Amino acid sequence: MPSDLRCNALLFAFSAMGVLAIVSGSSKLTNASEPPNIVFIFADDLGWGDLSCYGQRRIKTPNLDRLARQGTLFTQFYVAGSVCSPSRTGIMTGQSPARHRIFGHLANRESNQRRGMPDALDPDVPTLTDVLKDAGYVTAHFGKWHLGNVSPDQYGVDAFRTDKFCNVAGKQAIDIWSAEARPVCTANILDATLDFISEQSDAPEPFYVNAWFSDPHATLNPSPDQLDRVKNLAPQGVPFPGVAQVYYACVLEMDRQVGRFMDRLEQLGVADRTLVLFSSDNGPEDFQIRNSAHSGVGSSGPFRGRKRSIYEGGIRTPLIVRWPGHVPAGKVNRTSVISGLDFLPSLAAIAGASADAVSDGDGEAMDDVWLGADRERRTPCFWEWRYRVFGHPANKPPQLAVRDGDFKLLVNPDGGRVELYDLASDPGERDNVAANHPDVVQRLTRMALQWNKTLPDSPRDPGAGMESWRWP
Amino acid sequence: MPSDLRCNALLFAFSAMGVLAIVSGSSKLTNASEPPNIVFIFADDLGWGDLSCYGQRRIKTPNLDRLARQGTLFTQFYVAGSVCSPSRTGIMTGQSPARHRIFGHLANRESNQRRGMPDALDPDVPTLTDVLKDAGYVTAHFGKWHLGNVSPDQYGVDAFRTDKFCNVAGKQAIDIWSAEARPVCTANILDATLDFISEQSDAPEPFYVNAWFSDPHATLNPSPDQLDRVKNLAPQGVPFPGVAQVYYACVLEMDRQVGRFMDRLEQLGVADRTLVLFSSDNGPEDFQIRNSAHSGVGSSGPFRGRKRSIYEGGIRTPLIVRWPGHVPAGKVNRTSVISGLDFLPSLAAIAGASADAVSDGDGEAMDDVWLGADRERRTPCFWEWRYRVFGHPANKPPQLAVRDGDFKLLVNPDGGRVELYDLASDPGERDNVAANHPDVVQRLTRMALQWNKTLPDSPRDPGAGMESWRWP
């Protein structure tokens, strides 16, 4: 990307979407640097409130806390979807997942068809890995994929090992779902990542790697050793472990493995020239889901909603960014709203990719914010969910949401059930202030409904967007 | 109780409390009857939403559903406290538990002293069992007690077998807490109850029995057989049961045992002349409590809050009343707000006890409502909680609450953090409408703060009445 593009705020107007993507300004640090290696670690169903650096008090997560101290922790990061596939599509394309008909999780053909979904993300859509590969990166993907039954190499991924789930495992699958594999799945994903990085550590090209976990997604099966590490959470005298014990054993193991990974990056001599991102694909699972036997105890922190919900708890997840000498260490950014849709334009800017590559995105280049700027976001964020939400009625939101500044509005596609929250004073979305701000309601409702009109249609669940309890 | 007292609404003005207790009118059915036997089954930490007749969908509770079809199910029943001892004190005395310094659960002497609490409910306070004994009943208590280290016979209880917890077990303790006992604790409590009823079935006096369970309070330990009955809730391929499986195995066993108990009442020929009450002492436990390993999955239905919270989910619990030919069968009463404080005056009226016995209560005689009237409550309900509430910040209410008509106001003792909910349209306490009803806020705030002034003082937790999350 030419520096004049990076040094001026260049606005791309997307007539189809009515929104703006901004390739931002102040990448002074990157100008002075070689493009860094990039590793993106993506946890699965980890809640915003599950790491001790985000306020969790049941166990310590010392390694992720250390990553946060060595980099910047963001309190206002959002994924673009409230479940796996949409959220991952948002990261990989920089575009709202519904534009690609990825409305929900990719499942079997029948289920996909019933919901008007494809069986995979269209490989012709430019992805983050396409963009970085074009910019001279060697790219790789290890672990969970969940973008459908098309091989990752069709998306600009040079090397990959993934799960059997979508029959695109590559040379050698990594078992991340069987009960036997669960205690070692995160270790195995990071081992594959480290093998790749070892090979690349002396190569002239920088690398980009997705290390996408299946922890702490259900069904969890920590080993006796792993359970023993959190035995303080065990119920007394009964012959089976406690639910928090099962869940946090897995979170703790994930934390340990990230620590081991970071130590190994140091030993390989690449840690200082590697940008490491850590996040989670959506909020914590709910107990109402049968296989979520133990994942339902995950924490959404102070937020309302869990996985599937477009209240904060379903879409606001941890984001830690570490790049020594470039990303401020020990900083907590509470000011800037970041979206998963920003990954592509932000990383493209950091990698020096062509501006064309990011010209049809829905995100905003926030590389300047990652690198230390404390500015507010310039563009709104949108979410949608067409299906039922399980669990407590309070966690079941309307089907559309828009955040603009500190205001978040939720509304159904028919214009009903309007809720407005001032997230600066009420991050938990408890006080609907729609009645006090008719002008804001009108403006944001129009934005949300106009955005919704640009999205493909698909069958919606009866009951989507409604609170419900089967009253006696 | 003379029939003229029962046939006219007689008002007792309690100058100390500023509230009214009303010994109500329309007990026409009781006039025509002998006083019935009474069995009060009290579950422990069962949520409003845990029975299928209250909307739970994970398992069926056919026996409690049948009890509801044979009697009346109330959707607006409240206990007087949000944890065990206060709630039980409210049932037994008909008075706000804080009047007796029972602010929280009775624990060891040190813990009680620290909180300004006695080690037991003062045995000089007239109790439900005193009143019914005086009215000619033979009284008994089986199972959990949790009213402290004074023997039940000091409270008008003729026969009892309880747990060792408070060293007042009686002739023979029932083990309801050890891991080995958990699979059979409900069965054992009901067996003791049935032994007593068998002995009494031909006696001239009616009987009153508390059958107070320890299910589904933590720590739960269902047997392999019990777990197997809900194997549809098991996680796949892992060597331990799922959390919902553990919890609902215990709920299902409780349901089975209540079914067996009702069948046995029929066989003994006493079912038709026995008033059976079923309820729970407070809302479902939270996972943040260490020993609650599996109880935390219990459901508060559509309500906000869990155990310890004075939001609805902590204090609104199931109430089913069955008395063939007297209490309407198959009815759901959605109109009438009932309190645990009403048990004493309502049962006193049904038992024909002296009016003096209920002259210093905080409840309202609702026997006419139990017997079919669909009237609104005439007196307000009050709650208070001086300690921390664990779990999700949204479940942490102010320290005081008052419900008057459809409005519920919550406020801290210093007048801060005012929340007003219209429970008719918003039973989930989602929309604080304080700003729209300044007159109601003023009136109910004054009521709550005046009520609070009548209560004994005690140390309060720092953080009581506050929402909180340890933000990064």
Side-chain angles (χ1 to χ4, degrees):
Chain A
M1 173 183 266
S3 66
D4 57 340
L5 290 193
R6 262 184 279 136
C7 293
N8 296 288
L10 184 72
L11 307 185
F12 297 92
F14 300 142
S15 56
M17 304 304 299
V19 294
L20 298 174
I22 296 165
V23 177
S24 75
S26 58
S27 304
K28 295 186 193 78
L29 284 163
T30 46
N31 283 350
S33 312
E34 293 297 301
N37 304 309
I38 301 164
V39 176
F40 173 34
I41 303 174
F42 213 15
D44 196 357
D45 292 2
L46 182 79
W48 187 93
D50 274 329
L51 303 182
S52 44
C53 55
Y54 277 88
Q56 182 262 117
R57 289 168 181 258
R58 307 202 75 170
I59 60 161
K60 294 280 177 201
T61 51
N63 294 292
L64 284 158
D65 292 5
R66 175 161 54 106
L67 195 74
R69 283 198 307 276
Q70 294 171 341
T72 298
L73 179 155
F74 294 88
T75 66
Q76 300 204 66
F77 173 68
Y78 292 96
V79 281
S82 57
V83 301
C84 295
S85 302
S87 171
R88 289 157 201 268
T89 299
I91 295 283
M92 286 291 275
T93 66
Q95 297 174 329
S96 293
R99 284 174 71 175
H100 305 293
R101 312 187 71 92
I102 311 276
F103 310 119
H105 75 292
L106 288 159
N108 59 43
R109 181 158 296 184
E110 202 171 46
S111 167
N112 295 337
Q113 270 183 349
R114 194 177 58 243
R115 292 175 292 156
M117 287 174 55
D119 291 325
L121 174 64
D122 180 354
D124 291 340
V125 176
T127 58
L128 175 57
T129 33
D130 285 320
V131 168
L132 295 182
K133 187 178 162 79
D134 289 349
Y137 274 66
V138 180
T139 61
H141 178 98
F142 301 103
K144 178 168 174 174
W145 176 243
H146 218 166
L147 291 169
N149 280 314
V150 171
S151 177
D153 55 11
Q154 302 297 301
Y155 303 86
V157 175
D158 294 314
F160 63 97
R161 287 182 59 196
T162 177
D163 57 309
K164 292 177 195 161
F165 185 62
C166 294
N167 302 315
V168 292
K171 290 164 232 162
Q172 201 184 336
I174 301 182
D175 181 0
I176 60 176
W177 292 120
S178 78
E180 316 84 74
R182 292 314 304 261
V184 292
C185 57
T186 297
N188 288 345
I189 291 165
L190 288 177
D191 281 345
T193 305
L194 285 167
D195 287 347
F196 168 82
I197 292 175
S198 288
E199 282 169 27
Q200 293 298 318
S201 59
D202 293 327
E205 309 88 0
F207 57 79
Y208 172 86
V209 199
N210 285 329
W212 288 7
F213 299 165
S214 55
D215 271 334
H217 190 293
T219 306
L220 300 174
N221 186 25
S223 68
D225 272 4
Q226 290 165 1
L227 285 168
D228 200 50
R229 289 187 204 122
V230 288
K231 61 180 173 227
N232 61 311
L233 298 176
Q236 301 296 299
V238 306
F240 41 77
V243 55
Q245 187 185 12
V246 171
Y247 184 75
Y248 284 109
C250 298
V251 172
L252 185 57
E253 174 62 11
M254 184 185 74
D255 179 78
R256 277 164 45 91
Q257 292 299 333
V258 170
R260 184 180 66 96
F261 175 79
M262 292 306 300
D263 290 346
R264 192 83 186 98
L265 277 198
E266 292 287 350
Q267 288 161 12
L268 290 169
V270 296
D272 283 354
R273 49 194 170 93
T274 300
L275 170 65
V276 175
L277 299 142
F278 176 89
S279 187
S280 172
D281 63 344
N282 46 247
E285 185 51 283
D286 193 276
F287 282 117
Q288 292 296 316
I289 303 300
R290 180 200 164 159
N291 82 342
S292 76
H294 302 91
S295 296
V297 79
S299 169
S300 60
F303 303 125
R304 181 174 179 176
R306 308 177 69 82
K307 184 174 177 178
R308 294 173 199 82
S309 178
I310 56 176
Y311 286 127
E312 299 290 283
I315 52 178
R316 204 195 277 214
T317 68
L319 175 64
I320 298 169
V321 185
R322 177 192 190 270
W323 183 17
H326 301 268
V327 169
K331 174 174 173 175
V332 176
N333 182 321
R334 301 178 184 90
T335 310
S336 308
V337 173
I338 314 264
S339 164
L341 302 178
D342 306 338
F343 271 44
L344 194 151
S346 304
L347 291 174
I350 286 169
S354 136
D356 287 349
V358 294
S359 64
D360 190 28
D362 297 324
E364 176 175 334
M366 299 294 275
D367 50 301
D368 59 323
V369 171
W370 290 356
L371 296 171
D374 240 331
R375 68 169 172 87
E376 294 195 5
R377 178 180 201 81
R378 301 186 185 107
T379 55
C381 297
F382 295 91
W383 298 268
E384 56 101 48
W385 179 249
R386 303 170 186 218
Y387 311 115
R388 280 195 302 155
V389 173
F390 303 94
H392 195 281
N395 292 340
K396 302 179 181 189
Q399 292 179 48
L400 300 169
V402 54
R403 177 168 180 176
D404 188 45
D406 286 331
F407 280 116
K408 181 174 168 190
L409 178 129
L410 297 108
V411 62
N412 274 328
D414 64 2
R417 206 182 154 202
V418 176
E419 298 177 8
L420 182 72
Y421 300 100
D422 178 354
L423 295 179
S425 60
D426 177 29
E429 293 167 293
R430 310 241 211 282
D431 290 321
N432 180 359
V433 293
N436 309 340
H437 300 279
D439 51 332
V440 178
V441 167
Q442 193 179 28
R443 184 171 62 83
L444 294 186
T445 300
R446 194 166 49 226
M447 278 170 66
L449 297 181
Q450 276 179 354
W451 177 72
N452 186 52
K453 277 188 199 153
T454 68
L455 303 178
D457 207 9
S458 81
R460 287 166 192 266
D461 269 351
M466 305 307 294
E467 271 191 60
S468 66
W469 180 263
R470 192 179 58 168
W471 281 80
Chain B
M1 172 182 267
S3 65
D4 59 338
L5 289 193
R6 261 182 281 137
C7 292
N8 296 287
L10 185 71
L11 307 186
F12 297 93
F14 298 144
S15 56
M17 305 302 299
V19 294
L20 298 173
I22 295 163
V23 178
S24 74
S26 58
S27 303
K28 294 185 193 81
L29 284 163
T30 48
N31 283 349
S33 311
E34 292 298 301
N37 303 309
I38 301 165
V39 176
F40 173 33
I41 303 174
F42 213 15
D44 196 356
D45 293 1
L46 182 79
W48 187 93
D50 274 329
L51 302 181
S52 45
C53 55
Y54 277 87
Q56 181 261 118
R57 289 168 182 259
R58 308 202 75 169
I59 60 161
K60 293 281 178 199
T61 51
N63 295 292
L64 284 159
D65 293 4
R66 176 160 53 104
L67 196 74
R69 283 198 307 277
Q70 295 171 341
T72 297
L73 178 154
F74 293 88
T75 66
Q76 301 203 68
F77 172 68
Y78 293 95
V79 280
S82 57
V83 301
C84 294
S85 302
S87 170
R88 289 158 200 268
T89 299
I91 294 285
M92 286 291 273
T93 66
Q95 297 174 327
S96 294
R99 284 175 70 176
H100 306 293
R101 311 187 73 92
I102 312 278
F103 310 119
H105 74 293
L106 288 159
N108 58 43
R109 180 157 295 185
E110 202 172 46
S111 167
N112 296 336
Q113 269 183 350
R114 195 177 56 242
R115 292 174 292 155
M117 288 174 55
D119 290 325
L121 174 64
D122 179 353
D124 290 340
V125 175
T127 58
L128 176 56
T129 32
D130 285 321
V131 168
L132 296 181
K133 187 178 162 78
D134 288 349
Y137 275 66
V138 180
T139 61
H141 178 97
F142 302 102
K144 179 169 174 174
W145 176 244
H146 217 165
L147 291 169
N149 280 314
V150 172
S151 178
D153 55 10
Q154 301 298 301
Y155 304 87
V157 175
D158 294 314
F160 63 96
R161 287 182 59 197
T162 179
D163 57 309
K164 292 178 196 161
F165 186 61
C166 295
N167 302 316
V168 291
K171 289 163 235 160
Q172 200 185 335
I174 301 181
D175 182 359
I176 60 177
W177 291 120
S178 79
E180 316 85 75
R182 292 314 304 262
V184 292
C185 57
T186 297
N188 288 347
I189 291 165
L190 287 177
D191 281 346
T193 306
L194 285 166
D195 287 347
F196 169 81
I197 291 175
S198 288
E199 284 167 26
Q200 293 298 318
S201 59
D202 294 326
E205 308 88 359
F207 58 79
Y208 172 86
V209 198
N210 286 329
W212 288 7
F213 299 166
S214 55
D215 271 334
H217 190 294
T219 304
L220 300 174
N221 185 26
S223 69
D225 272 5
Q226 290 165 359
L227 286 168
D228 200 50
R229 290 187 203 123
V230 288
K231 61 180 173 228
N232 63 310
L233 297 176
Q236 301 296 297
V238 306
F240 42 76
V243 55
Q245 188 185 11
V246 171
Y247 184 75
Y248 284 110
C250 298
V251 172
L252 185 57
E253 174 62 12
M254 184 184 75
D255 179 78
R256 278 164 44 89
Q257 292 299 333
V258 171
R260 184 179 68 95
F261 175 78
M262 292 305 300
D263 291 346
R264 193 81 186 100
L265 277 198
E266 292 288 350
Q267 289 160 13
L268 290 170
V270 296
D272 282 355
R273 49 195 170 92
T274 301
L275 169 65
V276 175
L277 299 143
F278 176 88
S279 188
S280 172
D281 63 344
N282 47 247
E285 185 51 281
D286 192 276
F287 282 117
Q288 292 297 317
I289 303 300
R290 178 198 164 164
N291 82 340
S292 77
H294 302 92
S295 296
V297 80
S299 170
S300 61
F303 303 124
R304 181 173 178 176
R306 308 177 70 81
K307 184 174 177 179
R308 295 174 198 80
S309 177
I310 56 175
Y311 286 129
E312 298 289 286
I315 54 177
R316 204 195 276 214
T317 68
L319 175 65
I320 299 170
V321 185
R322 177 193 190 269
W323 183 19
H326 300 267
V327 168
K331 174 173 173 175
V332 176
N333 182 321
R334 301 178 184 88
T335 309
S336 308
V337 173
I338 314 265
S339 164
L341 301 179
D342 306 339
F343 271 43
L344 193 152
S346 304
L347 291 174
I350 286 170
S354 137
D356 286 350
V358 294
S359 65
D360 190 29
D362 297 324
E364 177 175 334
M366 299 295 275
D367 50 301
D368 59 323
V369 171
W370 289 357
L371 296 171
D374 240 332
R375 70 168 170 86
E376 293 194 6
R377 177 180 202 81
R378 300 186 185 106
T379 54
C381 297
F382 295 91
W383 298 268
E384 58 100 47
W385 180 248
R386 304 171 185 218
Y387 310 115
R388 280 196 302 155
V389 173
F390 303 94
H392 194 281
N395 292 340
K396 302 178 182 187
Q399 292 180 48
L400 299 169
V402 53
R403 177 169 180 174
D404 188 43
D406 286 332
F407 280 116
K408 181 174 168 191
L409 178 128
L410 298 109
V411 62
N412 274 328
D414 63 2
R417 207 182 152 201
V418 175
E419 298 178 7
L420 181 73
Y421 300 100
D422 178 355
L423 294 178
S425 60
D426 177 28
E429 293 168 292
R430 311 242 212 283
D431 291 320
N432 180 359
V433 294
N436 309 339
H437 301 279
D439 51 332
V440 178
V441 166
Q442 193 179 27
R443 184 171 60 85
L444 294 186
T445 300
R446 194 166 49 225
M447 278 170 68
L449 297 182
Q450 276 179 352
W451 177 72
N452 186 53
K453 277 188 199 154
T454 69
L455 304 178
D457 207 8
S458 82
R460 289 166 190 265
D461 268 350
M466 304 307 295
E467 270 191 59
S468 65
W469 181 262
R470 192 180 57 170
W471 282 80

